[in-house]
Each structure stands twice: as structure tokens, then as C-alpha cells.
Amino acid sequence: MIPVQGYTDQKVAVLGLGRSGIATARALREGGAIPVVWDDNAEARERAQTEGFDPVDLGKTSAWEGVAALILSPGIPHLYPTPNKYVSMAWDAGIPVDNDISLFFAGFATTEWDEFVTMPRVVTVTGSNGKSTTSALLHHVLQHVNRPSQLAGNIGRGALDVDPAIDGEVVVLELSSYQTDLARNLTPDIAVFTNLSPDHLDRHGGLGGYFAAKRRLFAEGGPDRAVIGVDEDEGRYLANQLATGKADDRVIRVSTKAKLTGPGWNVFVRKGFLSEYRKGRQTGSIDLRSIQGLPGVHNHQNACAAYAVARSLGLAPRVIEAAFHSFEGLPHRSQTIATKNGVRFVNDSKATNVDSAACALDAFENIRWICGGLEKEGGLGALTSHFGNVKKAYVIGRDAANFALGLEGLEVEICETMAVAVARSAAEAQEGDTVLLAPAAASFDQYDSFEKRGDDFTDCVAAL
């Protein structure tokens, strides 16, 4: 746990008592603050009470007396689509609104670091897609070389739940736009921007607001080094804003679409081969095609970003390559869960939007595609150009028939349930086929989360 600094004997309100909210309350208490906690959900309040916190209704004006700050959980919108009522009350009372990521950065460094030989480092990873895999892959590489490392943020533990740093340790934080948008303290040593595609637009008031939330990680804290995916205009813009010139190697550009060989520091993939160039000369390469845990171009982009950070931390290319080969991937993200009679079963339940589903469809051949669920804004039109590897689609979801209408040009079977879709796709699959769960939709019509959906797929495959 990272004790929160700067609020000794002061009341600090915590709104939202999920994983990060409870971790924040614990860290505040550990640092000598007086947490004032609240959640509109009665079950969440009961869980807080079991840990010794007494919920106080922040809807009452009297609850704000003497409160020094409001710490908002990331899942709670604060400004768009409409201001949160509790946040609005804090604004009116002149009380600063912050979040747990900000508290982490404010309290991570301690006087004990004066005795360290190698200063701890914080690496942050943000972007629309790939940030979880990039973060986990980097953490895996560090573990492979026995370098102390912790993985937290939007993956694994909450940021304030990590242990105090030891000599030479690296903390890898996956950060969503919800977490970067509000934080007052953002001071990573190395920051990664994977890519940008439309998502969470209601929460951020549009695409510009969404990008601005992610850009804060680079503009507010000024990391020592930035790893930037430049396959979208926003990434190109960000890299240009951060670099002082063509040869500024504080910015490492990453691409899966272009060969980057300028005078700076570049990492890119072409035809499955990762290449590193510095000052116009190649300094490293990895053949990614045989690495089962990193299938497809989207995972090759993740590999480029993790490679760039690992090189920034002083690791050699051959060491990084060896670590890549032992990476098994993350659950629900292009995860191979079984092979039966030459048929590969892949769980990519995390592919909840069109862009991530497109990446999955491009990563495999001879696909028996299980898709469907709660369709997101924008429809499925952008997927049409990625149907080339699909032999047949098996549609699930409560509104499977309507979803299927967006799959024009494909052979489609309406299955509705996961069990039927797995059974039908497996029965029709031939050696060399891939049965791929990549829903291109949210899960909430049938499941509590994409994880539950992926688990159901895995269970159905196991039942074969």
C-alpha cells in the first residue's frame, strides 16, 4: 500500500467504493487522513463498513464541512454528459476534486529512496486499444530478467494498492482516459501512447475531449521518455508536440504501418518483423511471427511499445525476444484456450468494439467467427473490409437477428446463446480453422462483463 501524503488529520471525501475507492480509503487512513466515504450503492457501503469505514451521505451539505478534497473513483463521470451532483457540490464549496492516480504520484517517492542505488521508475501506458497487453507484456519482460516489477492501475491492483518501491523497481501502470482525465499529479518516468479510436465519447464530450484526456499524461507531467504510436493523426501530432527536433530520442515512435528510419529513435513492424532504428541505423530486430502469445498486427504494435520501453530501461534485444516467447497473453485478449483436431479456439471477448474486433479478424485465417451482443454506436460498417478471413459468422445476443443484418456478405447463422454458437462452429470447423470469439459488441445484454462472456466461451469449449 502507498500511504497518501499531505492530508494528515484532514477529512478527505471518497466517492465510489469499488476496487479503487476502497483502496483509496485504506491508503488515506494509512497516511493519517480521515476518509469520508460514500457510494449510492448500498452493497458497496456495506462492504466499506466491514473494513471499518462509516459511510457519510455526501448529498447532505453538512457532510462537506471541513473536507479538504474529494477523491473520485474513475468509473464515475464528473463533467460529461452532465456534471455529477456530488462533484458539483464540491465545486460550489471550493473543494479540490482529484483521483487515486494523482494520490499515487504524490506519495510514491519517499525519503528511503535516498539509500537506493537505482531509483524506482514508473511506466504508464494509455491508449484506446492494447494498453492491457502492452502493460502485461512489459511486466512479463521485467520478471523474465528478474528486475523487481509491479503491475497495477486499470489492470490487476489499484495504483495505491502497490507495495512501496524497492531499489531498482519498475511500477507499470495501465491508465484509462477516466484515470488520466482528472489527476492533478501525473509524473511518470516513461509514458506510452498506443493508439486512438473513438470510445467513451459521451464521457469526454467527443473525440477531442477523449484525446485531450489521454494527452494530459504527456503534457502535464512531462515524462523523461515517451513511446508514441504514430499510426493515427493524434499520435503523430503528440509525437511532434513532444519532440524538440528530428533527432530527439526522448520520443520513440512506434508503427505497424510504416517503416520509420529517420534520425530519431524508431520501432516498427513490417511483415511480422520488429525493427529498431536509432540515428538512421538498425540496432535490433525480432521475428514476431512465431510468438503464439502475440498474434496479429495489433499485438505486434503492443510488442513494439513494450520493446521500446524495455530498451529505454537498458535491456538487450535478445533478452527481450526471449521474454516475448514465454508470454502467454492475457485472458480474453486473443487468448488461445484450446486446440482440438487441428482447430484453434481463441477467446478475444475483450474485442468489445469494431476496431478491436477488426484487429482480431485480421490476426487469424479460416475463421469461424462468434460475434454479437449489445451493439455500440456507429454500427458494423467499418468491419466489412475485414471479412476476408471469415468463413462463417455465428451470432449471439438477445438481438442477434438485428446484429446479423450488419454482416452483409457473410454466411451467417443466428445462434443467440454461446453454447449453441460454440457447438455449431466446432461441428463445422475443419483442420486449420480458428473458432474466434471476437464479439464487436458489449456484453451487457447477456453477461455482467466481457470477462464473464469469455469465461462462458471457455467453459463451452472445455465441454467439447
Side-chain angles (χ1 to χ4, degrees):
M1 180 187 301
I2 304 298
V4 173
Q5 300 180 24
Y7 292 104
T8 303
D9 296 327
Q10 297 182 68
K11 293 200 298 183
V12 178
V14 178
L15 180 60
L17 299 174
R19 184 193 66 172
S20 64
I22 285 294
T24 299
R26 293 192 202 109
L28 283 164
R29 183 168 58 188
E30 185 70 16
I34 305 168
V36 179
V37 304
W38 182 250
D39 194 302
D40 287 339
N41 184 285
E43 292 183 4
R45 297 197 298 269
E46 289 175 5
R47 288 194 297 269
Q49 286 178 313
T50 64
E51 296 207 26
F53 300 108
D54 293 322
V56 176
D57 186 353
L58 293 177
K60 298 179 179 179
T61 305
S62 59
W64 296 95
E65 294 179 5
V67 170
L70 169 63
I71 308 303
L72 192 66
S73 293
I76 300 175
H78 58 281
L79 182 57
Y80 299 112
T82 58
N84 178 276
K85 64 178 182 180
Y86 302 111
V87 172
S88 185
M89 293 177 73
W91 292 343
D92 291 341
I95 295 171
V97 181
D98 210 341
N99 68 9
D100 63 322
I101 301 303
S102 180
L103 297 181
F104 166 84
F105 279 110
F108 185 54
T110 67
T111 55
E112 294 178 0
W113 291 21
D114 294 340
E115 308 300 322
F116 291 170
V117 174
T118 303
M119 289 294 102
R121 312 288 292 280
V122 177
V123 178
T124 56
V125 182
T126 195
S128 296
N129 298 305
K131 54 185 178 293
S132 294
T133 298
T134 300
S135 300
L137 178 59
L138 175 60
H139 177 59
H140 174 79
V141 171
L142 294 168
Q143 289 184 313
H144 180 82
V145 298
N146 296 316
R147 183 155 182 183
S149 175
Q150 298 184 71
L151 179 64
N154 202 42
I155 184 174
R157 294 181 290 174
L160 290 170
D161 260 342
V162 305
D163 299 324
I166 61 175
D167 197 331
E169 187 160 37
V170 178
V171 174
V172 183
L173 294 180
E174 179 199 332
L175 299 181
S176 71
S177 58
Y178 293 2
Q179 294 167 306
T180 59
D181 193 19
L182 198 59
R184 292 168 175 250
N185 300 294
L186 285 170
T187 53
D189 297 287
I190 303 172
V192 178
F193 176 84
T194 59
N195 49 59
L196 194 84
S197 60
D199 208 358
H200 312 303
L201 300 189
D202 285 350
R203 171 70 180 260
H204 296 293
L207 184 61
Y210 176 51
F211 175 55
K214 293 187 176 296
R215 182 178 178 274
R216 292 188 75 251
L217 186 58
F218 304 85
E220 298 293 323
D224 295 333
R225 176 156 282 126
V227 176
I228 309 293
V230 294
D231 287 338
E232 293 86 30
D233 289 339
E234 290 84 359
R236 294 169 59 221
Y237 164 81
L238 183 58
N240 182 269
Q241 285 276 296
L242 295 173
T244 58
K246 294 181 179 179
D248 187 351
D249 66 1
R250 294 174 304 165
V251 178
I252 306 178
R253 291 170 172 82
V254 166
S255 177
T256 60
K257 296 181 178 179
K259 183 177 181 180
L260 307 175
T261 57
W265 194 347
N266 304 296
V267 180
F268 62 90
V269 168
R270 297 196 74 185
K271 298 181 179 180
F273 286 87
L274 180 153
S275 297
E276 175 190 5
Y277 275 72
R278 297 188 72 173
K279 299 180 180 179
R281 298 176 56 189
Q282 186 169 7
T283 53
S285 66
I286 297 176
D287 182 355
L288 299 174
R289 295 173 301 172
S290 62
I291 301 177
Q292 183 167 303
L294 296 168
V297 173
H298 61 304
N299 275 311
H300 292 173
Q301 183 185 57
N302 302 333
C304 284
Y307 176 94
V309 176
R311 292 288 283 139
S312 297
L313 294 171
L315 303 187
R318 297 282 76 85
V319 171
I320 301 170
E321 180 178 10
F324 279 6
H325 276 282
S326 60
F327 180 66
E328 296 180 354
L330 286 177
H332 315 295
R333 296 166 175 84
S334 296
Q335 176 194 20
T336 297
I337 59 172
T339 301
K340 179 180 173 67
N341 299 328
V343 177
R344 184 178 181 180
F345 293 84
V346 177
N347 170 18
D348 200 350
S349 185
K350 183 63 168 63
T352 60
N353 59 40
V354 166
D355 287 325
S356 53
C359 290
L361 293 178
D362 290 343
F364 304 96
E365 297 179 348
N366 304 318
I367 296 171
R368 303 270 173 186
W369 180 28
I370 298 177
C371 57
L374 194 62
E375 190 174 338
K376 291 191 172 182
E377 183 180 352
L380 304 174
L383 273 178
T384 304
S385 61
H386 301 273
F387 289 165
N389 294 333
V390 179
K391 298 177 76 172
K392 183 176 178 179
Y394 305 80
V395 185
I396 63 173
R398 293 179 184 172
D399 201 17
N402 281 339
F403 192 94
L405 293 176
L407 305 179
E408 187 176 354
L410 285 181
E411 181 182 356
V412 176
E413 181 172 339
I414 297 172
C415 299
E416 295 187 351
T417 68
M418 185 70 73
V420 172
V422 170
R424 292 292 301 142
S425 58
E428 296 182 348
Q430 302 170 336
E431 184 176 352
D433 286 358
T434 295
V435 174
L436 170 67
L437 171 65
S443 60
F444 303 120
D445 60 328
Q446 291 182 307
Y447 302 94
D448 291 338
S449 64
F450 73 82
E451 292 95 341
K452 294 291 186 183
R453 178 171 58 192
D455 290 341
D456 190 18
F457 174 74
T458 301
D459 291 342
C460 290
V461 172
L464 297 174

